[in-house]
Amino acid sequence: AQKITQTQPGMFVQEKEAVTLDCTYDTSDQSYGLFWYKQPSSGEMIFLIYQGSYDEQNATEGRYSLNFQKARKSANLVISASQLGDSAMYFCAMREGQEGGADGLTFGKGTHLIIQP
Amino acid sequence: DAGITQSPRHKVTETGTPVTLRCHQTENHRYMYWYRQDPGHGLRLIHYSYGVKDTDKGEVSDGYSVSRSKTEDFLLTLESATSSQTSVYFCAIRIRQGARNTEAFFGQGTRLTVV
C-alpha cells in the first residue's frame, strides 16, 4: 500500500482562487511529520510547510496552510489567492518516527497545478 | 539555499561504467540524503547519512553505494551504471529551524543519463 497518496494528477485553477491539494497518508507510527514541496518547471525542490503529528494547530506559512485531519489521515495543502507563479508540481511527503531520528522522507507522486489567468 | 551544491549538474555515461555524484554542504549539518526522481514515482530515498561514516539504506538502494568521510561531503556511487539508473538525483539536508528538524533544503539536482 502506498504511504502517501495524492489523488489529483493535475489541476487547473483560475488565478486568485483558493486551491486545495489533497494528500492522504498511511502510517502506524504515533510520531511523524508531514511536508509539502513545490517543484517548478526549473526543477528545484522548494520546501513549503511542515506539520508534526503532535501539533494541535494547523501549520501556516504565508499563503500556504496545511489542513491536518489526523483521524482521517489527511494533510491537504491550501493555497490562498493563487498566483500564476504557483503553477508547478506539488509533492506531499512524510517522515515516520521521532523528529530527531535520521529517517528520510516518503513522497507522493505529485499534483501538477496550473494556474490560469 | 543552505549552501548545498551538487556536482555534476548533468552527466551522460555509458552502461557499465562507475559514476560518482557529489553533494557538498557548507553549514555542518548532520543529516544528509540522496533521492532519485522518476516520472510517475515522485522522489524515492536511496541512502542517507546521520554522521561521518554513518550511513544507511533507503527504499531503492540496490546498485548504489554512498560514503561520507567528512561532514560536508556525501557521495553517491553507481558501481556499474545501468539504463534503469537514468534519473534526476537530489541531495537533501535536514536543518534545525527553531525547535523543529525539517528537510527544508534540496540541492539543485543532477540529471544522469545512462546510454
Side-chain angles (χ1 to χ4, degrees):
Chain A
Q2 289 186 34
K3 289 198 171 186
I4 297 288
T5 302
Q6 296 181 251
T7 57
Q8 307 149 310
M11 287 184 71
F12 288 87
V13 173
Q14 287 296 121
E15 189 180 8
K16 300 181 183 177
E17 289 184 351
V19 180
T20 297
L21 304 181
D22 295 340
C23 174
T24 58
Y25 60 92
D26 182 25
T27 181
S28 57
D29 285 0
Q30 294 301 307
S31 179
Y32 52 89
L34 297 158
F35 301 74
W36 277 93
Y37 292 87
K38 173 184 179 181
Q39 187 176 44
S41 57
S42 52
E44 70 266 35
M45 293 291 289
I46 302 168
F47 168 74
L48 295 178
I49 197 165
Y50 168 81
Q51 177 90 36
S53 60
Y54 293 116
D55 293 341
E56 294 185 353
Q57 292 193 332
N58 289 340
T60 60
E61 293 284 350
R63 292 187 301 114
Y64 304 107
S65 60
L66 198 152
N67 184 1
F68 181 45
Q69 298 187 42
K70 195 169 183 176
R72 297 181 58 188
K73 293 189 174 179
S74 78
N76 298 341
L77 177 70
V78 180
I79 306 174
S80 63
S82 58
Q83 302 171 356
L84 296 178
D86 294 332
S87 295
M89 283 291 291
Y90 288 81
F91 292 97
C92 179
M94 174 173 66
R95 171 166 18 94
E96 296 176 277
Q98 295 294 327
E99 192 174 286
D103 302 284
L105 302 180
T106 301
F107 283 81
K109 295 183 178 182
T111 295
H112 189 192
L113 175 65
I114 297 174
I115 308 298
Q116 296 175 312
Chain B
D1 65 357
I4 307 174
T5 304
Q6 287 186 232
S7 59
R9 294 292 313 280
H10 302 271
K11 186 171 181 67
V12 179
T13 193
E14 294 186 348
T15 298
T17 60
V19 177
T20 295
L21 308 182
R22 181 187 187 222
C23 178
H24 179 77
Q25 57 139 331
T26 59
E27 299 185 0
N28 210 35
H29 296 292
R30 179 181 177 189
Y31 299 119
M32 299 182 74
Y33 305 83
W34 277 107
Y35 294 87
R36 61 178 287 174
Q37 183 177 25
D38 305 291
H41 287 279
L43 278 77
R44 292 180 291 174
L45 181 66
I46 305 171
H47 280 280
Y48 61 97
S49 170
Y50 44 97
V52 173
K53 297 186 180 178
D54 290 325
T55 64
D56 207 345
K57 296 179 180 180
E59 178 189 356
V60 290
S61 60
D62 287 349
Y64 301 95
S65 63
V66 289
S67 66
R68 193 165 178 202
S69 59
K70 46 187 178 178
T71 301
E72 58 264 38
D73 287 327
F74 190 31
L75 304 180
L76 176 71
T77 297
L78 290 65
E79 303 290 348
S80 178
T82 67
S83 59
S84 65
Q85 293 176 311
T86 292
S87 187
V88 179
Y89 292 85
F90 285 98
C91 174
I93 61 171
R94 181 179 302 177
I95 70 168
R96 191 84 178 166
Q97 289 182 313
R100 319 307 297 271
N101 284 313
T102 60
E103 279 79 335
F105 294 107
F106 279 73
Q108 320 95 306
T110 295
R111 184 173 295 276
L112 177 68
T113 303
V114 183
V115 298

